[in-house]
Amino acid sequence: MSAPAQPPVAWTGRVTPNAVDAVFAGVALLFVGLPSLAFAVSMGYPATGAAVGGLASLVMPVAIGWRRSHPVHSSVVVYAAALAHLLAGAPLIFADSLIFVALYSVTVYGPMWARRTALGSALLGCLVLSGYYAATSGQAPMPSLVVAGAAMAFLSALVMITWAIAMVRKARVDQVESLADRAARLEVERDQQAKIATAAERARIAREMHDIVAHSLSVVIAQADGGRYAASADPVAATRALTTISETGRAALADMRRILGVLRSDDPRDGDLIPQPDDSDLDTLAEHVRNTGLQVSVVRVGEARALPPGAGLTVYRIAQEALTNILKHAGPGAHATLLVQWTPIGLVLQIDDDGRGAAATTDGAGHGLLGMRERTAMLGGTLATGPRPGGGYRVRAEIPLPGGRGPRLAPNPATAPLTPVAPRPPAPEPGPWPAPTSPPASAPHPGPGGTAPTPRIGPPARSDPNPLKGSTA
């Protein structure tokens, strides 16, 4: 397959400034340098003056070939050649017209000190040339001074006009360079913004994938282990475990397909879009986790308020990840408490357990805790995780809400000690598959103020001694 045809490039894009200057120098040498050489020989100047003038007639056009690449060096050579033939006795040759080209070039392309020096040197040259003609004219002092003054005025006017045109051109060149620099800077910033947006989107997708896959696999593993132990003693329980595994796998597969469908399609309408879970689905999440054998109590304190966009999903995902870690690390017979506390300034989400998860320093690759911290930080909140006094593990997230006022009711975990949860009676173990027990309703989680608020408990644990049953989540 042949490569696609490239658009034609204009001839101006293939010609470099150095090539243009080289052509200009050749033209100047042909039409200025050679006539100037003939003029210097035929004017009857002294032999030294004619020789130096002829050499300057050739050197000055050649030096113009570097007027843009090396403007300072080019102008120095032109000025020095003009001064040399003047001192040698050839005051004026045709090639002296290139002094104006050198002044223009160094003013447009040279630094500030070079353009000022070139202007001053050109005006000084006008004065020296006028004085030379006044001294060698052989006229009376007054007429010679008049002629010298007229020559000085005329040459100085040419110099100032050349310098003014060069300054206008310099302003245009600076504007073009400024626009080019700005365009390049904007392009770099655009690329950086694209990279930042890509990294942020990649991190968001990674968090969603981790939360879906990790939670679903943890439930599947717990049900599979329980069903394997209960298969011989209670085939019905094993059947319920397999049903839960099937439902959880199908739900996770559907979530994965939705995410992949959004990634593969530019039109969001092509995907099967459903509302994302939020804080109102915590009871359903707790019920789903209870079906795996982990006893979870949901405690709500305060008056619920509307959350900003994305905050409800963050609360749900933090609670999901924390309960998933409890499933993986807390061990058999563990209990968990999910506290949702509404304060005047925000929302406090705290997940406690009394298992052995404090001995686990990581959840594998560490993506779970990192994802929780990133989600909390995006909302301007803080996340504190660590072992609880008396055993167990605690995850505490404080999320500020817009327009929140008043004193902070929830203690800062960085300055206040963690409050242990009242101990629960151990769960009976009729066999290798532990049966859950209902959490005591008389020992609600103490509020941050030190008094026990009136909690609203989530759905109680079912009385079925076998925890394995199909999930309705």
Side-chain angles (χ1 to χ4, degrees), residues 265-347:
S265 175
D266 295 332
D267 188 358
R269 294 173 296 181
D270 294 343
D272 183 15
L273 303 182
I274 61 173
Q276 292 277 18
D278 55 17
D279 57 301
S280 62
D281 298 315
L282 292 179
D283 291 326
T284 304
L285 175 64
E287 181 66 22
H288 189 204
V289 175
R290 288 192 195 102
N291 292 331
T292 66
L294 175 66
Q295 284 299 299
V296 182
S297 300
V298 180
V299 180
R300 300 181 185 269
V301 179
E303 183 180 356
R305 303 195 298 276
L307 290 174
L313 177 61
T314 296
V315 172
Y316 183 89
R317 292 304 188 195
I318 292 176
Q320 183 185 49
E321 179 63 26
L323 293 176
T324 301
N325 288 339
I326 295 174
L327 280 174
K328 292 192 292 185
H329 303 301
H335 302 78
T337 301
L338 177 61
L339 171 65
V340 181
Q341 180 181 6
W342 298 88
T343 69
I345 64 172
L347 172 66

Side-chain angles (χ1 to χ4, degrees), residues 217-232 234 237-238 241-242 244-245 292 327-328 332 356 431-434 466-468:
L217 289 182
S218 297
V219 173
V220 168
I221 292 173
Q223 291 292 314
D225 290 342
R228 182 179 58 187
Y229 286 114
S232 58
D234 190 354
L242 293 176
T244 301
I245 291 174
T292 66
L327 280 174
K328 292 192 292 185
R356 64 188 183 192
W433 178 248
N466 194 329
L468 298 175

Side-chain angles (χ1 to χ4, degrees), residues 135-465:
T136 59
S137 63
Q139 300 179 359
M142 185 58 63
S144 62
L145 290 177
V146 172
V147 173
M152 176 66 184
F154 176 73
L155 294 176
S156 299
L158 291 180
V159 169
M160 295 305 299
I161 291 173
T162 303
W163 187 77
I165 295 174
M167 288 301 296
V168 173
R169 176 60 180 170
K170 173 65 175 175
R172 177 60 180 170
V173 171
D174 290 343
Q175 183 182 10
V176 172
E177 291 179 352
S178 177
L179 292 177
D181 181 69
R182 181 182 179 186
R185 187 166 60 252
L186 290 177
E187 185 176 358
V188 172
E189 292 178 358
R190 182 195 63 188
D191 294 342
Q192 292 177 347
Q193 291 295 332
K195 291 180 180 179
I196 293 174
T198 302
E201 185 66 12
R202 185 183 296 113
R204 186 186 69 82
I205 295 174
R207 285 193 299 268
E208 291 296 325
M209 297 282 285
H210 175 271
D211 291 339
I212 293 173
V213 174
H215 176 75
S216 301
L217 289 182
S218 297
V219 173
V220 168
I221 292 173
Q223 291 292 314
D225 290 342
R228 182 179 58 187
Y229 286 114
S232 58
D234 190 354
V236 177
T239 302
R240 282 197 293 264
L242 293 176
T243 302
T244 301
I245 291 174
S246 176
E247 294 177 353
T248 303
R250 286 190 177 95
L253 183 59
D255 290 337
M256 293 285 290
R257 285 175 176 171
R258 274 193 297 272
I259 293 177
L260 295 177
V262 172
L263 292 178
R264 291 172 178 169
S265 175
D266 295 332
D267 188 358
R269 294 173 296 181
D270 294 343
D272 183 15
L273 303 182
I274 61 173
Q276 292 277 18
D278 55 17
D279 57 301
S280 62
D281 298 315
L282 292 179
D283 291 326
T284 304
L285 175 64
E287 181 66 22
H288 189 204
V289 175
R290 288 192 195 102
N291 292 331
T292 66
L294 175 66
Q295 284 299 299
V296 182
S297 300
V298 180
V299 180
R300 300 181 185 269
V301 179
E303 183 180 356
R305 303 195 298 276
L307 290 174
L313 177 61
T314 296
V315 172
Y316 183 89
R317 292 304 188 195
I318 292 176
Q320 183 185 49
E321 179 63 26
L323 293 176
T324 301
N325 288 339
I326 295 174
L327 280 174
K328 292 192 292 185
H329 303 301
H335 302 78
T337 301
L338 177 61
L339 171 65
V340 181
Q341 180 181 6
W342 298 88
T343 69
I345 64 172
L347 172 66
V348 176
L349 177 67
Q350 182 171 303
I351 302 95
D352 295 323
D353 71 84
D354 56 1
R356 64 188 183 192
T361 59
T362 178
D363 63 339
H367 298 298
L369 293 179
L370 178 61
M372 288 192 289
R373 294 187 187 279
E374 290 177 350
R375 291 182 183 274
T376 308
M378 285 191 299
L379 298 177
T382 58
L383 180 75
T385 60
R388 295 190 316 140
Y393 203 80
R394 170 171 294 176
V395 175
R396 180 185 179 91
E398 296 186 11
I399 301 174
L401 298 181
R405 300 176 183 175
R408 180 183 290 269
L409 299 180
N412 189 344
T415 57
L418 297 175
T419 304
V421 179
R424 295 183 175 88
E429 299 183 359
W433 178 248
T437 58
S438 301
S442 59
H445 192 282
T451 61
T454 303
R456 181 160 61 88
I457 306 300
R462 303 182 185 271
S463 58
D464 189 354

